[in-house]
Amino acid sequence: MGLYPLEFSECYLDSPSFREKIRAHEAELDKTNRFIKELYKDGKNLINATKQLSLAQLKFAQCLGDFQFEYIGDAKTDDEKCIDESLQEFSSFLKNLEDQRELMTRNITETLMKPLEKFRKEQLGSAKAERKKFEKETEKYYTTLEKLLNMSSKKKEPQLQEADVTVDGMRQHFQDESLEYICKLQEIQERKKFECVEPVSLLAFFQTMFTFYHQGFELANDFDHYKRALQINIQNTRSRFEGTRSEVYDLLKKFKEAPQEYRQTSPISSEGYLYMQEKRPPPFGSSWVKRYCTFVKEQKILHMVTFDPKSGGKFGETESVTLKSCQRKTTDTLDRRFCLDLEITDRPGTVFTAQALSEDDHRFWVQEMGGKEPVHCLGRIYSRERGIDAQLDDVGLSFVRNCISAVETRGINDQGLYRVVGVSSKVQKLLNLMIDEKSEDVELSSCEDWDVKTITSALKIFLRSLPEPLMTYALYKEFIAPAKSRSPEARAQAIHCLVHKLPESNRHVLSLVTQHLANVASHSKQNLMTVANLGVVFGPTLMRPQEETVAAIMDLKFQNIVVEILIEHHEKIFGDAPSLSVLTPFSAHTRQSKKQSRTCRPLAVYNPQVLDIHTVSPSSEAVSSGADEASLGSNESDSSQSSIASASEIPPELGSSPHGNPAVTSSQNAGVCTAMAAWMNSSASPSPCEDPGALTCAEAARGCEGKPAESVTVMKAKAVYPCEAEHDSELSFQVGAIFHAVTWSREPGWLEGELEGKRGLIPENYVEIL
């Protein structure tokens, strides 16, 4: 049983059982007081620990945000850019989460710690004060009563009556205090049940905790699309790394087997170490100093830098001389091998004696400096596969078609198509039969003697064995350049132009192959070969540089991007020759492909019974991605990945998100659209098109200050790419849509036009003017 109720009538009896009941109530309040004090102490410790955790995570986030990956080469792929930015994205996510944790900590202090301490001090404190007062009145009353009872009966009647009146007054006062005290005790006993658990205390504490974790759940949902995209970026980068690594190790093996054959040279200069003899006055003799020498062939200038890797790589003196002649120095005159004499033009009569590092090195320097001794062939050029005579003639074209037909008929859904290789002996036998023996009787699509992986391997080897790759050595650098820069749309346009520079036979075979690969990619759910995966396989097959170097191998990832673009845009690239408009320079403000931007959410109050959470939350596009895409790469390859279009040109009064994009929250969307419309069509201040003294819309959009005013040109335009509007001020449309009343927008890179009765913004490079 719990505490006994304290009856008011018992105050008049003040029985021992009544006192026991009071002491039980007092003990319970003492226990509650100790509990709250301990809870307050633990709560403070919790808050301090949370602050320490928050500081540690913020430091971790800062460390993530400050680091940047360096890359090899002169450019990064879109996947690598996304991976580089991921650390800043992770940092931003953690900082946003810690902002919510800090808010939670403040709320805990306000909703739990302060109310509990207030209840302990005000309610339990007042009960303690009443207790002391009750005990004091008890002692005072019973002391007075004992004095009265001990008074002699022989006292005078007035004295006895006065004593009786005094005791009656004390009794009445004691009973009143007793009534108030037991009332207070029971009131606090009942009050603590709800004041410790009501919304300003424990319940509010847990509501704050749930809100924090709910906010984390919302952040995780916002982060999910980015995580999926990043997984694809990482998978694509890993696949390219595997291909690059195998090429690098092959080149490393070749260097180990014949290092001199792969020595780096150029038609302009030659470089390497030579030990130069420095003569000193007697009796010191001479010394040999190691110098790194660069010989410029046309000017015959020899630059020498004193440098010894053993000394920590410190540079010494630099000297340049003009070489007149070079000849081998025999061991008859100098007891050292691999030496040569260098006669200097600008120092008549001066001869430098240099020592090469080996016999091969000696022959190299003699030839580079104009000597007569032969030297081995320097530099390594990609050579075609030996054993078959691969040509783009009728036989080769027939073989390519035969292979493609067989693959599409028999193995289009085979997992790992083109990635799984056939047995080399069978592959070579097929190539010998179809290419060298020119057999026309074998129909691979119906012949079960040759499995699909043998046919795919034979097709790849045939393409690699051509005297020159399909995309030619001459155009290699031009094809690579767009993949290293520009927007995805501009890349496709540039490659469209370059494809039509290829020889007719090369372009025809390339069209056959890429059309086939597009068909393979369309079955990626079955064969697991996405556009990105096919780019990895066919990048070095369809294009490669003439010289085999590590720098060239590092460009493999860009070869893959070019092939991805050819596959994705096959119909457009090979369908028609590029128009003159495509050859014009692209706008600097090109609209990027759609990619959802994850914004920071403010703290939303978690309410499991109310679906509408009243908070300012950014609108977002639905993003879906299958598990197979996340693990195997996506059909949306590097060539189509980019960041969201910038909205930095929107006036500040329209509001912006923490990341600088227009504010498009649920509570502000309508206001932003209204403000946008007012900004674009303001009657208070005339637009450049309305004010004769101002710039035209086209001039304002391009920042062409100082030009004479022009009249507004109203145009019609046709969509050449589909577009999904990101904001209410933009238009959504499909390819072929016709826009009316088109004018230049104030926002650079954008037009304004009407479509189906609605007027809005149109990305300039998504349409062509009619």
Side-chain angles (χ1 to χ4, degrees):
M1 184 174 175
L3 297 172
Y4 288 99
L6 300 175
E7 297 292 346
F8 290 143
S9 59
E10 293 185 285
C11 293
Y12 296 94
L13 295 176
D14 198 16
S15 65
S17 61
F18 175 64
R19 286 289 177 160
E20 285 297 323
K21 294 177 183 178
I22 290 178
R23 279 195 289 272
H25 279 265
E26 291 172 345
E28 175 60 26
L29 292 184
D30 288 340
K31 185 176 74 171
T32 302
N33 186 60
R34 290 193 300 270
F35 160 72
I36 293 178
K37 289 179 70 175
E38 191 69 23
L39 186 65
Y40 185 83
K41 178 182 176 182
D42 291 341
K44 295 287 285 186
N45 292 337
L46 173 63
I47 291 174
N48 292 333
T50 302
K51 289 180 178 179
Q52 292 299 318
L53 172 62
S54 184
L55 288 175
Q57 295 217 129
L58 285 174
K59 186 177 180 182
F60 180 73
Q62 186 68 32
C63 183
L64 280 177
D66 290 343
F67 183 78
Q68 287 187 335
F69 290 106
E70 290 295 336
Y71 58 94
I72 301 175
D74 56 356
K76 293 184 285 189
T77 65
D78 292 342
D79 285 320
E80 289 172 330
K81 292 175 184 176
C82 290
I83 292 174
D84 289 348
E85 294 166 359
S86 66
L87 296 185
Q88 284 73 37
E89 196 73 21
F90 295 153
S91 175
S92 175
F93 178 83
L94 283 176
K95 288 179 179 177
N96 191 19
L97 188 63
E98 293 313 309
D99 288 343
Q100 309 311 322
R101 194 191 303 275
E102 182 183 359
L103 183 58
M104 178 193 72
T105 304
R106 291 201 302 267
N107 285 344
I108 290 175
T109 301
E110 294 296 325
T111 60
L112 175 64
M113 308 305 293
K114 289 184 178 179
L116 279 178
E117 186 65 7
K118 180 180 179 181
F119 176 80
R120 190 183 71 83
K121 289 181 177 180
E122 291 184 359
Q123 300 298 327
L124 298 182
S126 64
K128 193 173 183 179
E130 289 291 331
R131 177 181 177 180
K132 291 180 178 180
K133 185 177 179 182
F134 174 69
E135 290 175 348
K136 183 178 180 182
E137 290 298 328
T138 298
E139 183 178 356
K140 185 177 179 181
Y141 165 66
Y142 281 107
T143 300
T144 305
L145 181 60
E146 288 175 359
K147 287 182 179 179
L148 174 64
L149 296 177
N150 291 330
M151 183 178 291
S152 174
S153 59
K154 296 181 180 180
K155 292 283 187 180
K156 293 181 179 180
E157 187 64 25
Q159 291 180 322
L160 293 176
Q161 290 179 354
E162 182 180 358
D164 290 341
V165 170
T166 301
V167 170
D168 287 342
M170 292 293 296
R171 181 184 297 108
Q172 184 64 41
H173 183 68
F174 167 69
Q175 290 172 348
D176 290 345
E177 288 294 332
S178 179
L179 289 170
E180 291 180 5
Y181 179 52
I182 65 170
C183 181
K184 186 72 173 179
L185 282 178
Q186 295 184 112
E187 176 188 343
I188 295 175
Q189 292 288 6
E190 294 301 310
R191 182 187 291 271
K192 72 178 182 181
K193 298 175 184 178
F194 58 86
E195 287 208 354
C196 289
V197 189
E198 71 173 345
V200 294
S201 192
L202 284 176
L203 184 61
F205 164 74
F206 281 102
Q207 180 70 16
T208 301
M209 293 287 288
F210 293 150
T211 299
F212 170 72
Y213 288 114
H214 179 68
Q215 176 66 10
F217 174 75
E218 287 187 326
L219 289 175
N221 283 342
D222 289 345
F223 195 72
D224 187 62
H225 81 278
Y226 180 80
K227 179 190 71 175
R228 290 177 180 271
L230 184 60
Q231 286 174 336
I232 295 173
N233 297 142
I234 293 172
Q235 179 64 31
N236 291 342
T237 304
R238 180 183 288 112
S239 298
R240 296 190 179 105
F241 164 75
E242 294 295 339
T244 302
R245 183 176 64 170
S246 63
E247 294 285 340
V248 169
Y249 274 95
D250 288 343
L251 183 60
L252 176 63
K253 183 179 178 181
K254 295 174 183 178
F255 265 82
K256 288 182 176 180
E257 292 172 351
Q260 192 65 23
E261 191 175 340
Y262 286 86
R263 181 169 184 169
Q264 285 190 349
T265 61
S266 77
I268 300 174
S269 63
S270 303
E271 301 180 27
Y273 281 105
L274 288 172
Y275 281 86
M276 307 300 296
Q277 185 184 36
E278 293 188 356
K279 297 180 179 179
R280 299 180 181 179
F284 299 104
S286 62
S287 62
W288 293 84
V289 179
K290 187 177 184 180
R291 292 191 169 191
Y292 190 78
C293 301
T294 303
F295 179 66
V296 182
K297 299 176 183 179
E298 186 174 351
Q299 289 84 14
K300 290 195 171 186
I301 297 176
L302 181 65
H303 301 284
M304 299 176 290
V305 179
T306 302
F307 182 82
D308 189 356
K310 293 188 299 183
S311 62
K314 293 182 180 179
F315 285 90
E317 60 181 7
T318 302
E319 184 178 5
S320 298
V321 295
T322 303
L323 186 67
K324 182 178 180 181
S325 65
C326 168
Q327 69 178 42
R328 180 169 187 150
K329 194 176 187 68
T330 64
T331 56
D332 298 338
T333 56
L334 182 64
D335 189 20
R336 292 178 81 99
R337 298 188 300 163
F338 320 135
C339 292
L340 46 104
D341 284 338
L342 308 178
E343 187 177 353
I344 308 304
T345 299
D346 44 5
R347 298 183 190 178
T350 302
V351 177
F352 284 3
T353 300
Q355 183 181 26
L357 305 182
S358 64
E359 183 62 33
D360 289 339
D361 196 45
H362 180 269
R363 286 197 298 268
F364 166 76
W365 283 111
V366 169
Q367 171 151 341
E368 293 299 302
M369 294 180 177
K372 298 179 181 179
E373 293 202 16
V375 69
H376 294 309
C377 179
L378 303 177
R380 180 65 172 175
I381 306 300
Y382 275 103
S383 62
R384 59 194 181 99
E385 298 284 344
R386 301 297 178 186
I388 62 169
D389 182 21
Q391 299 291 337
L392 292 180
D393 52 12
D394 291 341
V395 175
L397 183 59
S398 175
F399 175 71
V400 171
R401 285 175 171 164
N402 203 344
C403 290
I404 290 175
S405 176
V407 172
E408 294 189 350
T409 302
R410 296 168 49 196
I412 195 69
N413 292 323
D414 289 1
Q415 288 192 2
L417 189 64
Y418 284 108
R419 178 162 274 178
V420 178
V421 297
V423 179
S424 58
S425 59
K426 290 184 178 181
V427 173
Q428 192 62 42
K429 184 178 179 181
L430 177 60
L431 288 169
N432 291 338
L433 177 66
M434 302 293 289
I435 303 299
D436 293 342
E437 299 178 15
K438 299 179 174 56
S439 175
E440 299 180 359
D441 299 332
V442 180
E443 184 63 36
L444 296 176
S445 59
S446 59
C447 181
E448 298 295 334
D449 296 338
W450 307 100
D451 56 18
V452 173
K453 63 183 179 182
T454 299
I455 298 172
T456 57
S457 297
L459 177 58
K460 289 189 293 182
I461 290 179
F462 171 80
L463 295 174
R464 291 196 193 111
S465 302
L466 293 171
E468 190 175 30
L470 281 181
M471 300 173 75
T472 71
Y473 293 134
L475 292 176
Y476 174 79
K477 291 185 178 178
E478 293 186 52
F479 273 112
I480 287 292
K484 294 183 176 181
S485 59
R486 299 189 178 184
S487 67
E489 296 82 7
R491 292 174 185 172
Q493 292 174 355
I495 290 173
H496 186 190
C497 297
L498 291 170
V499 163
H500 288 268
K501 291 184 180 181
L502 292 171
E504 181 64 30
S505 58
N506 293 52
R507 185 167 68 252
H508 179 57
V509 175
L510 184 63
S511 175
L512 289 176
V513 173
T514 52
Q515 183 180 21
H516 166 61
L517 295 181
N519 190 20
V520 172
S522 68
H523 294 76
S524 61
K525 289 191 178 295
Q526 292 78 32
N527 58 38
L528 308 183
M529 294 303 292
T530 62
V531 172
N533 291 339
L534 291 170
V536 171
V537 174
F538 277 88
T541 299
L542 300 180
M543 63 183 301
R544 60 182 182 272
Q546 194 166 10
E547 188 174 359
E548 187 177 14
T549 63
V550 173
I553 292 174
M554 290 302 167
D555 279 343
L556 276 177
K557 53 195 175 185
F558 298 108
Q559 298 174 27
N560 303 342
I561 293 174
V562 174
V563 174
E564 291 169 12
I565 293 172
L566 289 173
I567 297 172
E568 289 178 327
H569 303 278
H570 168 269
E571 293 184 2
K572 177 176 178 59
I573 289 175
F574 294 96
D576 302 306
S579 62
L580 292 177
S581 62
V582 174
L583 300 175
T584 58
F586 303 108
S587 170
H589 299 278
T590 53
R591 179 185 177 92
Q592 302 290 303
S593 299
K594 303 294 181 189
K595 183 173 181 182
Q596 189 180 16
S597 176
R598 183 174 59 81
T599 57
C600 299
R601 291 177 179 264
L603 187 63
V605 177
Y606 171 66
N607 189 340
Q609 300 192 3
V610 181
L611 294 178
D612 181 18
I613 297 175
H614 299 285
T615 181
V616 180
S617 59
S619 62
S620 60
E621 300 173 0
V623 178
S624 63
S625 178
D628 56 337
E629 285 185 327
S631 61
L632 294 165
S634 170
N635 287 330
E636 182 181 348
S637 63
D638 266 299
S639 59
S640 61
Q641 292 185 16
S642 61
S643 60
I644 194 168
S646 170
S648 58
E649 300 296 327
I650 292 180
E653 61 266 26
L654 298 186
S656 63
S657 70
H659 294 289
N661 291 331
V664 289
T665 61
S666 58
S667 61
Q668 295 173 326
N669 201 24
V672 170
C673 296
T674 304
M676 176 73 81
W679 169 62
M680 292 168 55
N681 303 305
S682 173
S683 58
S685 57
S687 70
C689 303
E690 298 168 351
D691 186 357
L695 303 176
T696 65
C697 291
E699 290 170 347
R702 290 168 171 76
C704 302
E705 298 180 0
K707 290 187 179 181
E710 300 175 0
S711 60
V712 177
T713 303
V714 179
M715 304 168 287
K716 290 179 65 178
K718 179 181 178 181
V720 294
Y721 298 102
C723 177
E724 182 71 21
E726 295 175 338
H727 307 295
D728 290 346
S729 59
E730 301 174 18
L731 296 177
S732 297
F733 49 86
Q734 299 297 323
V735 175
I738 302 297
F739 303 92
H740 300 277
V742 177
T743 59
W744 296 106
S745 172
R746 284 187 177 184
E747 190 172 358
W750 294 77
L751 303 170
E752 294 177 39
E754 292 182 1
L755 178 65
E756 299 177 352
K758 181 180 178 181
R759 187 167 184 83
L761 293 173
I762 310 164
E764 180 182 346
N765 63 321
Y766 272 44
V767 300
E768 61 180 9
I769 303 300
L770 299 178

